[in-house]
Amino acid sequence: MPSTMTSLRLTLPVLLALGLSACASLSPEQAAEPVQRQSRDWLGSDLPLQRTDDQRAAARARTDALLARPLDAQGAVQLALLNHRGLQAGLYGLGMADAERVQTLLWPNPVLSLGRLVRGDEREIERGLEFNLLSLLGRGARQDAAAQALAREQARVAQQLLDVASQARRSWVQAVAAQERLRQARTVLDSASAGAELALRMRQAGNVSALRLARERAVLAEAQLALEQAELQATGDREALIRAIGLWGDDVATLTLPERLPDVPTDFRAADDLERQAVAQRLDIQAAKRDSEQLAAQLGLTRRTGRINVLELGLQRNSSNEEPTQRGVELSVELPLFDWGQARVAGAREAYGQSLERTAQVAIDARSEVRVARARAETAWRIARRHHDEVLPLARQVSDETLLRYNGMLVGVMDLLADARAQARAVAAALDARRDYWLAESMLSQSLLGPVRDGATAASPTPTAAAPEAAGAAAH
């Protein structure tokens, strides 16, 4: 029976320790799940973990499927989430933060001390088992702080996710728009070449002056320069998209883009509660709130342990070959004679107050950023719609009327060419307006979820319009 009791005394602590450890399990997938859910809800795209060969093979298969057809904006976002290594590194960081959280769930290890003292023929064996009671008292506060730290890391990775997705979307808009402008520049060059050739022949026949011929040649030179600039712009914007979506190797040559950007919607998005929506879900505001909550948890821990820095409980068992065995309890307490912890508590209270003020300032800045982004997007929408609804139809009407007058021999061929160039100029301006709207809309969407950190702004008109401007001068 004594052997059985001894076995139980040895087994129960082991079982208890295993039970406590089982309650604190590591789960990197669970730590990444909130960010993955935000990716699906906000972006409509998946952010899969890529830690095993099967997971990487599945990501590769999805990449191939997306590249098998012309890439749209949503596909560009999904490719970026599949191939951006920085995001995968962020998911590993979530696993690290979760490991720190689990660490706070574990009970502190006891300290076992053994000693052997010899004095003449007397041999004394000392055994001690010590527990850090202060660590036990602050365990709950540390758990809360670790949970807040994990939530803050999740917010940071979510912001990184938002930045990567927004950059991919804007790069896609720029690349498709540059591709459209390149085709437009080639059309302008063809028109300028035809005008210069016709002017040369008419000059040889004595029907136009040398001044008119020189102007047509100047228009051709401007168109050639504009084409070279458009080709460089298209190449640069395509490479920016390739970087944003993480392509390399043979995938670069496989990438194809649609012929044009989507049309501008007939109605601008509703403006109701945009600021309230931003305050409720913006990542920077959430991060600031979590910082305040974490500091509040630390303030509670500081108040609880501010006056005592050392509190240990120890069990002693000393045996000697000449004296009876000694058993007892040892409690170690630091006496707060000089440092009562008031400075630490006051510092923690000030840090908490500072965090609250910063949170309020972040909210003020966020609301302002949303208002600016909305104003920019609405202005870009109005400009794009005006080009679509008024400028382009009027340009086509003028072109039709000019063609009728040319057929009635009321205007000459040079007037017809000048009108064609004016129409090309209107088309180029409409392309730029449509691009600017989609860029501004992307920025507005991001501002509702988090700050626009890369400082991207709506693109300015490109030099491709230089040739039509020169053509306008030649028409007079």
Side-chain angles (χ1 to χ4, degrees):
M1 188 67 178
S3 61
T4 303
M5 293 300 298
T6 304
S7 177
L8 287 175
R9 285 196 298 267
L10 294 175
T11 304
L12 287 177
V14 175
L15 293 177
L16 179 60
L18 292 176
L20 292 174
S21 300
C23 296
S25 59
L26 293 171
S27 179
E29 293 79 9
Q30 185 176 356
E33 197 278 332
V35 179
Q36 293 174 316
R37 183 175 63 252
Q38 289 172 327
S39 177
R40 293 188 296 269
D41 295 343
W42 292 349
L43 307 174
S45 301
D46 297 324
L47 178 62
L49 291 172
Q50 299 183 40
R51 301 190 176 193
T52 66
D53 292 339
D54 291 341
Q55 290 173 338
R56 285 188 284 269
R60 178 67 253 183
R62 295 189 65 181
T63 298
D64 293 338
L66 290 170
L67 292 176
R69 58 182 184 273
L71 187 67
D72 58 9
Q74 188 63 33
V77 171
Q78 183 61 77
L79 274 180
L81 302 191
L82 289 172
N83 296 303
H84 198 282
R85 295 306 174 192
L87 285 177
Q88 291 299 318
L91 295 181
Y92 275 103
L94 293 181
M96 295 167 58
D98 186 61
E100 294 292 335
R101 180 191 63 83
V102 171
Q103 183 67 41
T104 63
L105 298 177
L106 302 177
W107 291 84
N109 292 324
V111 178
L112 176 64
S113 60
L114 299 174
R116 183 177 184 274
L117 302 177
V118 178
R119 182 169 54 191
D121 294 334
E122 181 183 1
R123 295 178 180 81
E124 183 177 349
I125 305 298
E126 295 182 352
R127 306 174 186 87
L129 189 64
E130 297 179 352
F131 297 88
N132 191 331
L133 295 183
L134 187 64
S135 178
L136 292 177
L137 290 176
R139 182 168 172 265
R142 281 193 298 274
Q143 290 173 1
D144 293 340
Q148 294 295 334
L150 174 59
R152 183 172 58 182
E153 183 66 15
Q154 288 170 337
R156 188 195 66 80
V157 176
Q159 177 64 53
Q160 183 185 17
L161 164 74
L162 185 61
D163 290 339
V164 169
S166 298
Q167 183 60 45
R169 188 178 297 275
R170 287 193 294 269
S171 297
W172 181 87
V173 171
Q174 292 277 27
V176 176
Q179 185 176 268
E180 282 191 87
R181 292 196 302 271
L182 178 59
R183 289 195 299 271
Q184 178 67 16
R186 287 170 178 162
T187 301
V188 172
L189 178 60
D190 292 340
S191 176
S193 298
E197 178 66 23
L198 180 60
L200 177 61
R201 294 182 180 181
M202 295 180 68
R203 173 60 182 166
Q204 292 173 347
N207 294 328
V208 297
S209 64
L211 175 60
R212 190 58 180 263
L213 176 61
R215 285 178 173 174
E216 292 296 329
R217 287 179 174 175
V219 169
L220 176 60
E222 292 280 356
Q224 290 170 337
L225 290 175
L227 177 62
E228 293 178 358
Q229 293 171 344
E231 289 175 343
L232 178 60
Q233 186 70 37
T235 300
D237 289 343
R238 181 182 174 87
E239 289 299 325
L241 174 61
I242 289 171
R243 292 193 300 271
I245 61 180
L247 297 185
W248 67 295
D250 296 336
D251 292 340
V252 174
T254 306
L255 174 65
T256 57
L257 297 175
E259 293 295 322
R260 62 191 302 274
L261 289 172
D263 291 331
V264 177
T266 56
D267 297 316
F268 188 65
R269 69 158 71 195
D272 297 338
D273 295 335
L274 286 185
E275 293 181 41
R276 185 179 304 174
Q277 178 183 353
V279 170
Q281 66 184 11
R282 270 182 66 117
L283 294 173
D284 52 346
I285 298 178
Q286 292 181 5
K289 289 180 178 179
R290 294 188 189 280
D291 287 342
S292 298
E293 293 171 357
Q294 185 175 7
L295 285 174
Q298 293 176 355
L299 178 59
L301 177 61
T302 303
R303 284 175 172 171
R304 187 177 306 172
T305 63
R307 297 184 180 181
I308 301 177
N309 286 332
V310 176
L311 180 60
E312 295 180 346
L313 175 66
L315 303 177
Q316 298 291 333
R317 184 178 185 275
N318 301 331
S319 62
S320 172
N321 62 340
E322 295 182 358
E323 300 291 338
T325 300
Q326 296 177 332
R327 297 179 180 86
V329 178
E330 180 182 9
L331 180 63
S332 300
V333 180
E334 180 184 278
L335 298 178
L337 297 180
F338 307 105
D339 181 7
W340 286 80
Q342 63 271 26
R344 286 191 297 273
V345 174
R349 188 184 301 112
E350 294 297 319
Y352 178 64
Q354 181 189 56
S355 179
L356 291 179
E357 296 298 332
R358 286 178 174 173
T359 301
Q361 186 62 46
V362 168
I364 292 173
D365 294 343
R367 294 172 71 97
S368 176
E369 184 176 333
V370 170
R371 290 194 296 269
V372 171
R374 185 193 179 283
R376 181 181 293 114
E378 187 174 10
T379 300
W381 173 81
R382 287 200 303 267
I383 292 174
R385 290 306 309 179
R386 189 174 299 276
H387 276 282
H388 181 272
D389 298 337
E390 299 179 20
V391 177
L392 287 181
L394 288 174
R396 285 191 292 269
Q397 182 180 357
V398 170
S399 179
D400 293 341
E401 293 295 332
T402 302
L403 182 60
L404 288 176
R405 283 163 175 72
Y406 173 75
N407 292 334
M409 302 182 66
L410 298 177
V411 297
V413 65
M414 290 300 174
D415 296 317
L416 189 64
L417 288 175
D419 176 74
R421 292 165 187 161
Q423 186 175 10
R425 183 166 64 251
V427 171
L431 293 179
D432 290 341
R434 190 162 76 248
R435 173 206 61 195
D436 293 346
Y437 164 73
W438 287 115
L439 290 176
E441 170 63 24
S442 176
M443 291 178 61
L444 176 58
S445 298
Q446 182 176 359
S447 69
L448 295 176
L449 301 173
V452 183
R453 292 182 172 176
D454 60 358
T457 57
S460 58
T462 57
T464 54
E469 292 292 344
H476 297 288

